[in-house]
Amino acid sequence: MLLYAISMLLFGSISPISQDCDNTLSGTVIDLHDSSLLSGALLIVAGTEQAVQTDVDGKFIITGLCDGTYSIQVSHPYCTTQGYTVKVSGNTSKTFRLEHHLEELNEVTIRGKAYQNEAKTIAKTKISTSELEDFSNGSLGDALNSLSGVSSLNTGSTVVKPMVNGLHSSRVVIINNGVRMEDQEWGAEHAPNIDVNSIANLTLIKGAGALQYSGDAIGGIIVADALKVPVKDSLYGKTLMNLASNGRGSSVTSQLTKSFQNGWYATAQGTVKRYGDFETPDYVLSNTGVFERSASLHFGVNRFKYGLEGYYSFFKNEIGILRASHVGGASDQLAAINSDVPSVIEDFTYDIGEPRQDVTHHLARLKMFSRFDGLGKLSLQYDFQRNNRLEYDIRVGDDADKASIDLELDTHTVLLDLDSDLSDKINLKTGLMARYQTNFADPNTGIRRLIPDYDMYNLGAYAVADYDLNENFLLEFGARFDYTYIDAFKFYRTSTWEDRNYDQLYADIVIEETGNQILTNPQLNFYNTSATAGATYSFNDEYKLFFNYSLASRAPNPSELFSEGLHHSASRIEMGDLGFKSEVAHKVAVTLERKNPVFSFSVNPFINSINDFMVIEPTSIEQTIRGNFQVWEYRQTNALLLGFDLDASYALTNNFRLDHQFSFVKGYDQSQNEPLISMPPVNTKNSLAYQNPKINNLRLALQSEFVFRQNEYPDNNFEVYIPETETYEIVDVSTPPGAYHLLNFSSSIDFNITQKSQLTVGFKVTNLLNNSYRNYLNRLRYYADELGRNYLLNLKFNY
Amino acid sequence: MKKIKLFSALVLAGSLFVACSDDDDSTPEIVNEEEIITTVTVTLSPEDDGTDVTLQLQDLDGDGSGEQVYTVSGSLVANMVYDGSIVLLNETESPAEDITEEVEEESDEHQFFYTVESGLDLTTEYANFDGDGNPLGTEFTLTTGEASSGTLTFTLRHEPTKPNDGTLADAGGETDVEAMFSVEIE
């Protein structure tokens, strides 16, 4: 750039000097970002060698110019020097805008995105790139699990669904690079379709306050962002490789970024992950392998005044589901629960058989923004997602290789956002959202649709304002309105239709009756209001207090509305309800945090009161030819969740650090006066880490994780008659497993290969003591233990 | 302004997407469960060419809330040998699909088990086997003893351990059929 400016100076301008040459060029030099006036900027006119400096008001005047074109170099101590071509005709005025504090700006953009932009009165927890790299071989859920207040609802060890303060699925919204993930997130056994390696920053907002994203995040919002690319000429990348003993597999991920001084950039990234059957300390978990492939491409131009961004990601994951978890009716379930080991244990294999999931997710996003003086930053985004979910069951005959579930969910969204600074103290964010979603369930499965065909339309509008009362005090208010319209085609069994009294209630939606099924066309409207109000007070540089109240409303999802039939993977019959209305949550969260190099902590109590909370629970036993099945019906109740999360970190010496985490949550069904199902048990994580920058940044850490037994749970046990023993037996689907303690070890060391490249070698052992345990929040806990000891070697190469 | 043009073009493109997406007004195709077993019929033919006794369980809507219908045609004769055969049908399809054929084709992955309540005086024996000589049990012989009554349960397991000791517990696998009939021997 500098070279360019100099060459322009030398050869740039051969202006005619013979004309009328008493014109002036006057004007100001200002900062591109905040339009502040730049004093002391130097302007040099090529050809005439004339040099002037701007005064305290950023003003300059150059005299003795002829009509014609001049090359002018403008420089400032804190700015990138720039060359301009100026056409002078008579007395001319011109404003030069300089990129002020280049490096600092990048910093601000990065931090601004991650911390400042959303929900300023809710304390956020963040996982940085280096922490995320620790989970390179795992899943998004594994990474989130490392935060206090986050647990996960698992199906085996590879389907990991994040749970925030006791809530999950449709109540936790995931924003992947500005796009709300629409990947059939309603299902408890559906993990988010994001490769953890495609994310550079992960931010968790434990509440619904980030209204620019959604108004229905009753549990919380997870914001995943891709790498921010600096505005400078560079080429860099990284490659990570992991080898794991448990599952005998590996993952490889690579990323390459090219950026230019003029703001253009492109990043390409890809991951391949392959594991065979995982193992507990005592046996192989047959059919638990996983094969994941993903790639993403991110490109665009980032200028201060405007920018354009394109993002595309592809994610494909094939996941084996524990063979022994596929059971028939209640008597099979009883046998499985009463047995200490899974009913099927075979030799280790990489093959993934039935039951299995095969999920593909495409996500494409195009975003542009422009800054308008006096208006603010206006952004427009269009995104498209296609989620294809195939679930294969154990089937017989001609259907053996056919999927039992084949759903394709397409979502188009247009977002228009305006971020304006009304004054130095007031920032206002407003926006509009329009979304269209269509679900297609392939009838060729030969199994009745779990989720019916539907079209869904959403319209949303929001406004969030924050006001800096003074240096220490910030207030935030926001409101959002969403309209949802669902137009579905649903086949009901005639017997169910009549049994649930739908023939009386919804006679007008019947289209036709065929055999023992009725085709209906439910058309549903939901009007949801959400709001947030909060304050942040900084006592000094160290202490900060956050207070936030949020009102969130969530329309029922297709599963809650339309479920009707046997859910094979859960071995139960599930029933939705067409009459559901939106659930409405009121959450109050307070956070006190201290940031200090020696002792830091954060305490985060919360209370979440949810009206018309949709919960699924057993109501009866249905006899079928395959045996007895429990019937689980969704119903609406009032729920109350309360608890607190605690984080603390203490530096013992320069090299030793203690970290502590404690999460506590209780959930109650207030109508039935009983605990809510699947609430995370109290858990605590404590670690001691040693780090020495002098010895190649050697890092050693020992972590202890203690999970208490969940003592509060609803009793959903039922009895089943076993002809062989001629007795009635209790099928214990409720009692949680005992407490457990795990020790994990991790270490890493850096080696500088060349000046620009670095190799990090890491070695980890999880479940160091090789404990056998079961996890209350694993849906397969009835059938098998959790994973045994795992040795992991990871190599990271930065270049 | 070029940018404004771009913006408006995108807005327009977006609205087009929304506008033309609702083009399929046709109703979706009905799905009839393919593998479901709606009807289990056990036919017991006495060796003295007397009247057959049939035990039938019918549940036409599968896992729907419709009633299960048990029909036992009559009582068994004491001290008699019966040839038994089991037929499984999917009657949601028309004509009804014979699932027994599939079970017999994949005989190594299936096995019927007969559970006799302690008060009921009868014994059973397998009459057909898979390729490895392990029992399949869609055909069997039933020998009655003295007059008594109790339940007789037929359980079909998919992918049981084979060979097994004849108990459901040892066989494992997944239950495809569990039909319990009240039987009387006179």
Side-chain angles (χ1 to χ4, degrees):
Chain A
M1 191 67 227
L2 192 67
L3 208 69
Y4 171 70
I6 292 171
S7 54
M8 279 233 320
L9 265 179
L10 293 175
F11 313 106
S13 159
I14 306 149
S15 318
I17 313 183
S18 58
Q19 302 160 21
D20 184 17
C21 290
D22 54 2
N23 295 330
T24 60
L25 175 68
S26 59
T28 48
V29 177
I30 62 174
D31 182 340
L32 187 69
H33 309 302
D34 56 7
S35 299
S36 67
L37 303 163
L38 294 176
S39 64
L42 183 70
L43 295 93
I44 301 172
V45 183
T48 69
E49 307 308 322
Q50 196 180 353
V52 297
Q53 250 190 333
T54 54
D55 61 14
V56 279
D57 296 325
K59 289 203 169 73
F60 67 89
I61 182 156
I62 304 170
T63 53
L65 299 177
C66 318
D67 280 353
T69 308
Y70 288 88
S71 288
I72 296 174
Q73 178 192 289
V74 187
S75 60
H76 186 271
Y78 301 116
C79 303
T80 318
T81 301
Q82 273 196 283
Y84 295 89
T85 307
V86 181
K87 198 164 179 236
V88 175
S89 163
N91 288 342
T92 309
S93 67
K94 168 86 186 163
T95 304
F96 294 108
R97 291 161 192 272
L98 284 196
E99 182 98 42
H100 194 220
H101 292 282
L102 183 73
E103 291 308 316
E104 190 185 276
L105 166 74
N106 284 334
E107 180 76 357
V108 168
T109 324
I110 293 165
R111 301 182 66 87
K113 192 75 186 169
Y115 296 114
Q116 305 295 325
N117 236 356
E118 58 252 330
K120 293 181 188 178
T121 56
I122 305 179
K124 289 168 280 286
T125 31
K126 205 186 144 219
I127 308 182
S128 68
T129 309
S130 61
E131 289 163 319
L132 279 170
E133 282 168 354
D134 274 353
F135 299 98
S136 171
N137 64 318
S139 64
L140 180 78
D142 293 323
L144 286 160
N145 231 330
S146 66
L147 299 174
S148 66
V150 184
S151 34
S152 57
L153 193 61
N154 298 0
T155 302
S157 64
T158 44
V159 176
V160 183
K161 200 170 180 64
M163 201 172 188
V164 180
N165 289 154
L167 299 170
H168 58 88
S169 300
S170 294
R171 298 185 180 102
V172 173
V173 170
I174 299 177
I175 306 291
N176 181 6
N177 277 296
V179 179
R180 180 187 173 133
M181 291 292 286
E182 293 287 346
D183 55 350
Q184 310 185 30
E185 67 285 350
W186 51 72
E189 72 282 31
H190 303 177
N193 294 297
I194 301 182
D195 172 18
V196 71
N197 296 296
S198 68
I199 307 168
N201 278 304
L202 202 53
T203 310
L204 168 72
I205 304 162
K206 292 178 198 166
L211 293 181
Q212 70 262 47
Y213 294 130
S214 77
D216 60 355
I218 286 170
I221 298 182
I222 293 159
V223 183
D225 281 312
L227 188 70
K228 287 284 170 292
V229 181
V231 182
K232 61 181 182 194
D233 284 314
S234 72
L235 176 69
Y236 55 93
K238 66 174 180 186
T239 298
L240 271 87
M241 188 176 167
N242 291 276
L243 291 168
S245 66
N246 203 336
R248 303 181 208 176
S250 75
S251 74
V252 179
T253 180
S254 219
Q255 180 173 307
L256 193 66
T257 302
K258 173 73 190 147
S259 64
F260 301 93
Q261 176 77 53
N262 60 12
W264 283 93
Y265 63 90
T267 300
Q269 178 267 338
T271 305
V272 177
K273 202 178 279 183
R274 180 99 201 238
Y275 289 96
D277 291 338
F278 290 93
E279 287 166 53
T280 71
D282 305 308
Y283 46 81
V284 173
L285 293 165
S286 285
N287 200 45
T288 54
V290 59
F291 187 20
E292 179 189 316
R293 283 145 287 180
S294 71
S296 66
L297 180 68
H298 188 196
F299 60 90
V301 58
N302 189 11
R303 299 265 170 81
F304 182 76
K305 274 288 191 185
Y306 63 93
L308 178 73
E309 195 185 343
Y311 182 80
Y312 168 75
S313 82
F314 166 81
F315 180 90
K316 183 173 169 64
N317 205 359
E318 240 181 293
I319 307 170
I321 304 295
L322 184 72
R323 175 61 185 85
S325 72
H326 196 263
V327 295
S331 44
D332 294 7
Q333 222 178 339
L334 177 76
I337 291 172
N338 291 350
S339 164
D340 287 338
V341 294
S343 59
V344 181
I345 300 174
E346 277 154 19
D347 291 338
F348 172 88
T349 172
Y350 287 100
D351 296 340
I352 299 172
E354 283 80 35
R356 70 176 204 270
Q357 302 181 357
D358 185 351
V359 192
T360 311
H361 193 82
H362 298 268
L363 183 151
R365 170 208 200 198
L366 195 62
K367 181 184 178 174
M368 48 181 80
F369 73 85
S370 186
R371 284 177 213 268
F372 297 99
D373 290 334
L375 184 66
K377 180 177 170 183
L378 187 69
S379 332
L380 181 69
Q381 172 175 315
Y382 164 73
D383 59 75
F384 169 70
Q385 294 176 79
R386 169 165 289 177
N387 185 277
N388 184 215
R389 167 168 283 270
L390 299 169
E391 289 187 12
Y392 294 87
D393 241 319
I394 294 161
R395 303 177 73 172
V396 292
D398 303 337
D399 295 325
D401 299 321
K402 229 196 254 181
S404 339
I405 293 176
D406 182 351
L407 299 173
E408 189 167 86
L409 184 70
D410 285 358
T411 311
H412 303 265
T413 309
V414 179
L415 296 171
L416 184 67
D417 297 287
L418 178 66
D419 188 341
S420 1
D421 286 319
L422 297 184
S423 75
D424 279 357
K425 292 179 179 295
I426 303 176
N427 173 269
L428 176 69
K429 284 194 275 285
T430 47
L432 297 168
M433 180 274 289
R435 177 175 294 138
Y436 166 70
Q437 184 174 80
T438 181
N439 182 59
F440 172 70
D442 194 330
N444 294 326
T445 55
I447 288 185
R448 294 179 70 247
R449 297 168 178 87
L450 187 66
I451 300 290
D453 288 2
Y454 70 83
D455 288 326
M456 184 163 80
Y457 301 84
N458 287 110
L459 287 173
Y462 72 86
V464 182
D466 57 72
Y467 175 50
D468 286 306
L469 210 59
N470 58 44
E471 267 188 15
N472 301 334
F473 209 16
L474 180 137
L475 294 173
E476 185 184 45
F477 300 96
R480 181 178 173 112
F481 178 76
D482 285 280
Y483 166 66
T484 304
Y485 170 70
I486 299 175
D487 182 7
F489 284 106
K490 164 78 187 162
F491 284 97
Y492 280 93
R493 281 195 189 83
T494 311
S495 56
T496 311
W497 184 256
E498 287 165 2
D499 210 43
R500 295 182 70 85
N501 222 13
Y502 282 180
D503 54 334
Q504 306 292 320
L505 294 167
Y506 306 109
D508 52 325
I509 64 168
V510 174
I511 297 179
E512 59 181 346
E513 193 166 348
T514 328
N516 57 6
Q517 295 191 51
I518 288 180
L519 175 63
T520 63
N521 178 210
Q523 290 170 311
L524 306 164
N525 292 291
F526 300 97
Y527 306 90
N528 290 333
T529 309
S530 37
T532 185
T536 304
Y537 186 76
S538 314
F539 295 95
N540 49 43
D541 283 350
E542 290 187 347
Y543 287 93
K544 215 169 180 183
L545 183 70
F546 297 83
F547 172 86
N548 179 271
Y549 159 77
S550 60
L551 164 73
S553 308
R554 181 178 73 86
N557 65 37
S559 173
E560 289 156 341
L561 290 168
F562 305 122
S563 286
E564 180 240 357
L566 186 61
H567 190 172
H568 287 265
S569 75
S571 187
R572 65 192 193 192
I573 292 165
E574 293 182 352
M575 289 288 170
D577 194 322
L578 267 183
F580 278 166
K581 48 193 173 186
S582 295
E583 63 181 25
V584 179
H586 303 268
K587 183 172 184 174
V588 175
V590 179
T591 304
L592 175 66
E593 69 175 28
R594 178 188 192 215
K595 289 204 165 146
N596 176 290
V598 178
F599 179 56
S600 298
F601 70 84
S602 129
V603 192
N604 173 208
F606 65 91
I607 181 161
N608 200 353
S609 167
I610 310 171
N611 296 330
D612 296 316
F613 183 76
M614 283 167 261
V615 64
I616 187 165
E617 64 168 23
T619 51
S620 59
I621 303 293
E622 179 74 44
Q623 290 177 340
T624 78
I625 282 191
R626 289 165 31 109
N628 295 336
F629 286 91
Q630 234 183 340
V631 179
W632 288 60
E633 278 183 60
Y634 282 102
R635 72 184 166 86
Q636 294 197 291
T637 183
N638 291 334
L640 181 71
L641 286 99
L642 44 102
F644 66 91
D645 303 325
L646 187 75
D647 282 278
S649 160
Y650 181 64
L652 295 168
T653 68
N654 280 342
N655 302 117
F656 281 97
R657 175 172 281 278
L658 274 175
D659 284 296
H660 169 77
Q661 258 184 33
F662 187 87
S663 305
F664 176 94
V665 58
K666 291 282 171 201
Y668 300 100
D669 175 340
Q670 292 184 298
S671 320
Q672 303 257 325
N673 217 357
E674 63 176 17
L676 287 174
I677 196 170
S678 296
M679 280 293 132
V682 178
N683 60 84
T684 178
K685 284 179 198 155
N686 295 284
S687 66
L688 175 66
Y690 170 84
Q691 186 160 17
N692 194 336
K694 287 179 193 152
I695 320 172
N696 286 10
N697 201 22
L698 175 70
R699 221 187 117 264
L700 302 168
L702 191 64
Q703 189 203 43
S704 136
E705 183 180 351
F706 190 87
V707 178
F708 291 80
R709 179 176 181 272
Q710 178 55 274
N711 290 323
E712 292 194 88
Y713 55 93
D715 183 357
N716 295 328
N717 295 346
F718 61 101
E719 277 194 336
V720 58
Y721 180 72
I722 304 298
E724 247 187 338
T725 53
E726 295 173 25
T727 50
Y728 282 90
E729 303 275 349
I730 289 173
V731 185
D732 185 356
V733 292
S734 315
T735 310
Y740 60 89
H741 178 231
L742 300 177
L743 272 186
N744 303 313
F745 168 78
S746 68
S747 63
S748 71
I749 190 161
D750 296 346
F751 299 102
N752 289 321
I753 305 292
T754 67
Q755 209 155 28
K756 284 190 167 176
S757 61
Q758 189 186 53
L759 175 72
T760 305
V761 180
F763 176 69
K764 285 204 291 188
V765 189
T766 57
N767 194 1
L768 195 66
L769 303 175
N770 210 19
N771 282 343
S772 294
Y773 68 101
R774 294 194 184 197
N775 172 3
Y776 176 56
L777 297 178
N778 191 335
R779 301 173 70 251
L780 305 188
R781 71 180 153 96
Y782 306 123
Y783 312 110
D785 288 343
E786 297 288 321
L787 302 197
R789 190 187 292 132
N790 191 4
Y791 297 98
L792 296 119
L793 179 71
N794 35 65
L795 302 173
K796 184 180 109 180
F797 191 49
N798 271 320
Y799 42 88
Chain B
M1 287 266 298
K2 212 161 110 192
K3 273 168 267 166
I4 303 242
K5 269 189 200 159
L6 264 171
F7 270 128
S8 42
L10 206 79
V11 170
L12 204 70
S15 55
L16 277 177
F17 259 115
V18 175
C20 42
S21 41
D22 192 21
D23 51 3
D24 53 332
D25 282 334
S26 59
T27 57
E29 197 181 304
I30 192 165
V31 179
N32 287 307
E33 299 272 332
E34 281 171 14
E35 285 140 283
I36 199 158
I37 297 167
T38 59
T39 313
V40 181
T41 312
V42 182
T43 309
L44 300 168
S45 313
E47 284 194 331
D48 69 348
D49 295 330
T51 330
D52 285 359
V53 174
T54 58
L55 315 171
Q56 193 184 63
L57 167 59
Q58 199 177 37
D59 188 356
L60 289 175
D61 71 345
D63 50 294
S65 55
E67 285 291 296
Q68 291 194 306
V69 184
Y70 287 88
T71 322
V72 178
S73 70
S75 45
L76 299 171
V77 178
N79 301 309
M80 175 69 74
V81 178
Y82 289 86
D83 286 328
S85 70
I86 305 170
V87 174
L88 308 173
L89 295 179
N90 175 6
E91 292 188 273
T92 62
E93 293 188 19
S94 156
E97 188 192 353
D98 188 351
I99 309 272
T100 331
E101 288 169 16
E102 272 181 19
V103 171
E104 285 172 356
E105 272 166 33
E106 295 175 0
S107 55
D108 57 329
E109 288 181 10
H110 288 96
Q111 185 176 348
F112 261 104
F113 295 85
Y114 322 109
T115 310
V116 185
E117 200 179 19
S118 49
L120 184 65
D121 186 8
L122 65 80
T123 56
T124 56
E125 208 167 312
Y126 286 102
N128 64 349
F129 299 86
D130 66 17
D132 304 321
N134 293 315
L136 169 64
T138 50
E139 285 169 24
F140 60 99
T141 52
L142 183 149
T143 310
T144 55
E146 298 307 317
S148 55
S149 65
T151 61
L152 175 59
T153 308
F154 297 86
T155 309
L156 173 63
R157 284 279 169 91
H158 183 213
E159 298 195 352
T161 310
K162 273 183 145 185
N164 52 60
D165 68 5
T167 64
L168 286 162
D170 185 53
E174 194 181 322
T175 305
D176 276 351
V177 169
E178 190 180 272
M180 183 167 75
F181 298 98
S182 292
V183 177
E184 209 158 321
I185 303 174
E186 284 179 342

